[in-house]
Amino acid sequence: MSAQSNYRDVFDATAHPDARKAWLPRMKIAAIEQFEALGFPTTRDEDWHFTSVSPIAERTFKPVRPSPSTLTAADLAPFTYGQSDWHLLVFVNGHYEPALSSFAQLDVDAQVMTFSEAFKEAPELLAERLGTLAPRTQAFTALNTAFMADGVVIRVPVDIALEAPVHILHLTDAHATNASQHPRTLVIAERGAQVTLVESFATIGGGTYFTNHVAEVIVGDGARVDHYKVQREGGAAYHVGTTQATQGRDSIYHSFSFATGAQLSRTNVYAKLLGENCEVRLNGLYALEEAQHADHQTFVEHIAPSCSSREVYKGILDGTSHGVFNGKVFVHPEAQKTDGKQTNKALLLSEGARVDSKPQLEIFADDVKCTHGATVGRLDDMALFYMKSRGIGADRARALLTYAFAAEVLELIELEPLKVALEALLFERFIPPDAA
Amino acid sequence: MLKIDNLTANVADKQILKGISLAVNPGEVHAIMGPNGSGKSTLAQVIAGHPGYEVTGGTVTFEGQDLLDMDAEVRAQAGIFLAFQYPVEIPGVSNAYFLRAAYNEIRKARGEEEVDPMEFLDVMTEKLKIVEMTEEMLQRSVNAGFSGGEKKRNEILQMAVLEPTLAILDETDSGLDIDALRIVAEGVNKLKRPDRSTIVVTHYQRLLNYIVPDYVHVLAQGRIIRSGGKELALELEERGYDWLLDTAGASA
């Protein structure tokens, strides 16, 4: 029996209590059918050439059943970046935990709520917008749509700036072992609205589990969305995540992806520039060790003219880890005056580490400026000598330069508390304690 | 303090230093001059322990110890400092962190207590004045985006913090305008002490108007072809290097 029909069986055996919203079961049934037709991608698919998902496909991860969480606010502390005045929505094993969540004062008319709440209070939001962006041709997205249990919807009305960032924290614990969670996020920033969203994934003693996340982000005309993703899943976890953003004219979308977790992960960040004069930044940092595998794919689709895209992705690879970066930029014939720049750098700390980097520019307009650069290397000998010539020992000089390589890209994070927290994480990781 | 005896060194199998002998005593300022490609910078880098050069013969001792047997960081901890001709940019590490890390390594090597960031800031307040730099420079990444003059001042700032017994300035004057040159030279002079020595590597006499040498050595084709007092530098300024090279060539 094929991997996808296993999931069909699981789907059929799952109750769908939200049947009262008739459109939702219809969408889910369509999604599982689509998933069955697509099947899991293989390395014969161009987009998955360097990443085999067979460890995920070979087993059937069932969604975690809701069970009362034993976690307390204190357990969350390592994952909240020291911020108590953000909107915090906590999910444990894919299920919303109201007792652990907290909300800042909310502007009039803005909505930050779970899907379950939205069905009661603003059902039209989901009915109209959910699933309109997520790529329909991707098996993992279809699987998410079929199995999503709950999610978060954020709507910021015209010309409103949501002051407090929204943090969606997905935690797993031992209950998630051998199970899956399919978190879903929908962001609607209306004309001139502004919002900052942080999505974090972490584990507290979780074993092998599978996170399959989808985020849809609608950035209206003149709106701005800052979107951070922090993937610190457990070392035995599998993580697949896809973010799809669409941008109206004069809008700004900034995405930052930070990934240190999971034994196998794939992170997709896609942006469609639909209106003129948009700005998109897709930045990221991953740090891998042992046998970890992390694949990042970005896709910027320049549809309207006079938009700019900027991408900086960096990776640090140790052990026998394997990193993959595929940065696609597609410039449609109408997208004149496109200004695109992509940089991808990887630092290999060991002989056994490997990175495959594939920039992919397809340009069908003639008046554009698009550049890309990729480097794969080891620590700079001159910089090492410079540090040593100041009395800093070889091991520590290497540690500092490794940290510096990472810190340079963290500088691009505009949400200061998050930047500071991630710097601290990497500092601890790369700099030996006696050297602090 | 420093004793170099018949030193030979290669880079990528090409011999650059062909038998250098030089003795520097405490408190002395030695200038090493010479045309491009003479081996001046190589000599500076070999003393500092650059791994790209292969020492093929001769000895170098520093305060009685075999310098060639030490790693670069051990040489620095022993009191040797090289101000780089091309200071390296290190984006992602703040100048303050870098300086404190180096300062504490040197203190540890001297058996002194390490300092915390607040104590270090006090140390820095004094040192910054020496090179007319502001605290803002400490928060920037090491040399990243610095102008040529800022980089050279940053080198002298590091020297002021680490207080070496032997400072080697490798073409510190190159690319400096007259104001930056004055600041850098005055910084070096303020750090002078009877127990500290300086080797100034330069192509031009200009810097030596500010940092007055006790001895001037002319390096050409990997050898010291002439040594003298500070008046030798003035003579070179007037006559260029060719007359010396001709003399050396004739005597070879």
Side-chain angles (χ1 to χ4, degrees):
Chain A
M1 205 157 59
S2 69
Q4 52 265 38
S5 56
N6 285 340
Y7 277 95
R8 180 66 200 233
D9 291 346
V10 175
F11 183 83
D12 289 343
T14 310
H16 301 286
D18 38 20
R20 60 205 155 81
K21 305 291 169 204
W23 62 270
L24 188 59
R26 272 206 304 276
M27 188 166 121
K28 288 187 158 214
I29 288 164
I32 192 71
E33 281 170 357
Q34 189 186 29
F35 172 74
E36 270 193 297
L38 289 167
F40 281 109
T42 71
T43 51
R44 290 186 300 278
D45 293 308
E46 205 192 337
D47 281 357
W48 294 84
H49 185 63
F50 297 106
T51 299
S52 166
V53 298
S54 56
I56 300 172
E58 277 163 10
R59 46 204 299 182
T60 308
F61 292 94
K62 298 180 187 178
V64 197
R65 289 173 183 284
S67 64
S69 171
T70 52
L71 297 177
T72 64
D75 296 320
L76 304 186
F79 310 105
T80 51
Y81 317 115
Q83 299 304 299
S84 55
D85 52 355
W86 293 0
H87 303 281
L88 174 66
L89 295 95
V90 179
F91 288 76
V92 178
N93 303 327
H95 298 284
Y96 181 58
E97 289 289 340
L100 296 174
S101 303
S102 55
F103 291 86
Q105 182 82 32
L106 205 54
D107 303 274
V108 196
D109 286 347
Q111 282 142 328
V112 178
M113 57 180 71
T114 61
F115 287 179
S116 320
E117 288 171 305
F119 283 129
K120 281 180 248 159
E121 294 183 21
E124 73 291 347
L125 258 189
L126 295 176
E128 286 169 15
R129 301 298 192 119
L130 191 65
T132 56
L133 267 58
R136 287 163 194 278
T137 52
Q138 294 206 348
F140 284 105
T141 303
L143 200 61
N144 174 286
T145 303
F147 284 99
M148 62 183 171
D150 204 344
V152 175
V153 57
I154 300 166
R155 186 186 69 95
V156 188
V158 175
D159 288 337
I160 295 289
L162 210 59
E163 261 182 47
V166 178
H167 183 197
I168 307 172
L169 173 58
H170 295 280
L171 286 173
T172 54
D173 63 16
H175 288 291
T177 302
N178 296 321
S180 62
Q181 53 177 359
H182 300 267
R184 185 86 172 215
T185 308
L186 173 64
V187 180
I188 304 156
E190 296 184 349
R191 180 169 47 76
Q194 293 186 28
V195 60
T196 298
L197 170 64
V198 182
E199 294 186 278
S200 303
F201 298 85
T203 189
I204 298 177
T208 300
Y209 60 91
F210 171 39
T211 300
N212 180 31
H213 169 247
V214 172
E216 297 174 281
V217 183
I218 301 166
V219 191
D221 291 352
R224 172 170 178 163
V225 176
D226 290 82
H227 191 178
Y228 299 94
K229 178 177 173 184
V230 180
Q231 190 271 95
R232 295 165 63 198
E233 305 270 24
Y238 300 101
H239 180 102
V240 176
T242 296
T243 297
Q244 174 73 61
T246 59
Q247 293 186 243
R249 64 176 300 153
D250 303 317
S251 69
I252 296 173
Y253 178 66
H254 289 182
S255 151
F256 194 102
S257 160
F258 177 92
T260 54
Q263 59 169 305
L264 170 60
S265 71
R266 166 69 175 244
T267 304
N268 301 320
V269 184
Y270 304 145
K272 271 191 183 146
L273 313 180
L274 300 173
E276 284 182 35
N277 198 36
C278 315
E279 171 188 312
V280 60
R281 290 190 195 161
L282 306 182
N283 299 321
L285 173 70
Y286 61 92
L288 308 177
E289 56 191 359
E290 296 171 356
Q292 282 183 291
H293 180 108
D295 182 341
H296 287 83
Q297 185 179 65
T298 63
F299 184 24
V300 178
E301 201 176 349
H302 283 271
I303 296 168
S306 306
C307 297
S308 76
S309 56
R310 291 285 178 277
E311 277 186 78
V312 181
Y313 265 81
K314 280 190 168 189
I316 299 175
L317 299 100
D318 206 347
T320 56
S321 64
H322 185 187
V324 181
F325 177 79
N326 175 208
K328 294 187 186 191
V329 177
F330 192 100
V331 181
H332 285 252
E334 299 77 24
Q336 300 293 0
K337 309 279 183 198
T338 286
D339 175 9
K341 189 175 180 196
Q342 182 187 93
T343 310
N344 169 228
K345 292 182 181 173
L347 176 62
L348 301 178
L349 298 178
S350 66
E351 290 296 319
R354 171 183 159 186
V355 68
D356 289 289
S357 180
K358 188 176 146 196
Q360 218 175 316
L361 269 53
E362 292 181 60
I363 301 170
F364 295 95
D366 45 29
D367 185 15
V368 301
K369 196 166 74 185
C370 273
T371 62
H372 68 85
T375 59
V376 176
R378 299 184 187 277
L379 293 172
D380 177 27
D381 282 339
M382 269 317 285
L384 275 174
F385 173 56
Y386 189 65
M387 290 203 153
K388 289 166 75 173
S389 78
R390 300 305 182 244
I392 298 172
D395 287 348
R396 190 149 163 230
R398 269 188 214 101
L400 267 174
L401 288 175
T402 305
Y403 169 75
F405 179 85
E408 193 191 7
V409 67
L410 293 182
E411 284 296 320
L412 300 172
I413 294 179
E414 292 177 54
L415 184 59
E416 191 65 21
L418 182 66
K419 182 176 90 176
V420 169
L422 296 181
E423 280 174 350
L425 265 180
L426 290 177
F427 195 86
E428 202 174 307
R429 175 173 178 142
F430 291 117
I431 315 260
D434 67 306
Chain B
M1 170 175 286
L2 181 75
K3 194 166 186 325
I4 302 174
D5 191 26
N6 202 23
L7 179 69
T8 56
N10 290 359
V11 62
D13 289 334
K14 186 173 187 295
Q15 194 175 38
I16 307 290
L17 301 183
K18 299 174 179 170
I20 303 272
S21 294
L22 179 69
V24 178
N25 294 309
E28 291 178 353
V29 177
H30 288 243
I32 296 183
M33 303 185 69
N36 291 331
S38 59
K40 310 187 293 285
S41 281
T42 299
L43 178 61
Q45 306 240 33
V46 166
I47 297 171
H50 191 296
Y53 299 94
E54 186 200 355
V55 174
T56 51
T59 58
V60 181
T61 57
F62 178 66
E63 294 179 334
Q65 289 177 290
D66 177 6
L67 196 68
L68 298 178
D69 202 32
M70 300 179 191
D71 284 332
E73 63 269 33
V74 181
R75 297 183 199 199
Q77 289 159 9
I80 289 181
F81 180 90
L82 172 66
F84 279 51
Q85 182 179 4
Y86 303 108
V88 180
E89 298 193 8
I90 310 178
V93 174
S94 77
N95 225 1
Y97 184 88
F98 175 62
L99 279 166
R100 187 167 63 88
Y103 184 65
N104 277 334
E105 289 292 339
I106 304 260
R107 285 180 68 90
K108 259 198 293 192
R110 291 178 188 158
E112 296 167 356
E113 284 280 306
E114 293 183 44
V115 300
D116 66 30
M118 289 313 292
E119 293 169 315
F120 185 65
L121 200 60
D122 291 340
V123 175
M124 289 312 298
T125 311
E126 288 306 305
K127 305 292 185 186
L128 284 166
K129 286 182 195 153
I130 295 173
V131 284
E132 299 180 24
M133 282 166 74
T134 59
E135 254 180 55
E136 181 262 333
M137 299 288 285
L138 296 178
Q139 302 316 318
R140 291 167 61 181
S141 289
V142 181
N143 294 326
F146 283 28
S147 70
E150 285 173 335
K151 282 182 182 172
K152 295 299 172 79
R153 273 150 73 177
N154 205 25
E155 292 294 285
I156 306 306
L157 176 67
Q158 293 175 29
M159 177 178 154
V161 171
L162 302 181
E163 303 192 312
T165 40
L166 173 66
I168 305 160
L169 311 179
D170 186 7
E171 309 242 4
T172 296
D173 48 340
S174 68
L176 289 190
D177 62 35
I178 197 74
D179 289 330
L181 184 73
R182 180 187 53 78
I183 292 169
V184 162
E186 282 177 7
V188 172
N189 287 333
K190 281 176 198 159
L191 296 167
K192 259 192 93 170
R193 277 199 342 210
D195 58 340
R196 291 181 189 162
S197 313
T198 311
I199 296 176
V200 183
V201 174
T202 181
H203 186 85
Y204 301 104
Q205 192 268 339
R206 190 174 68 150
L207 180 64
L208 304 180
N209 289 334
Y210 298 90
I211 305 172
V212 181
D214 300 303
Y215 300 95
V216 174
H217 310 276
V218 180
L219 201 62
Q221 290 155 6
R223 287 190 181 89
I224 291 176
I225 55 170
R226 179 72 68 99
S227 294
K230 64 184 173 205
E231 64 289 346
L232 177 57
L234 294 169
E235 195 173 357
L236 287 166
E237 178 75 0
E238 206 171 297
R239 299 177 65 183
Y241 288 107
D242 287 349
W243 63 279
L244 266 182
L245 298 180
D246 293 345
T247 319
S251 67

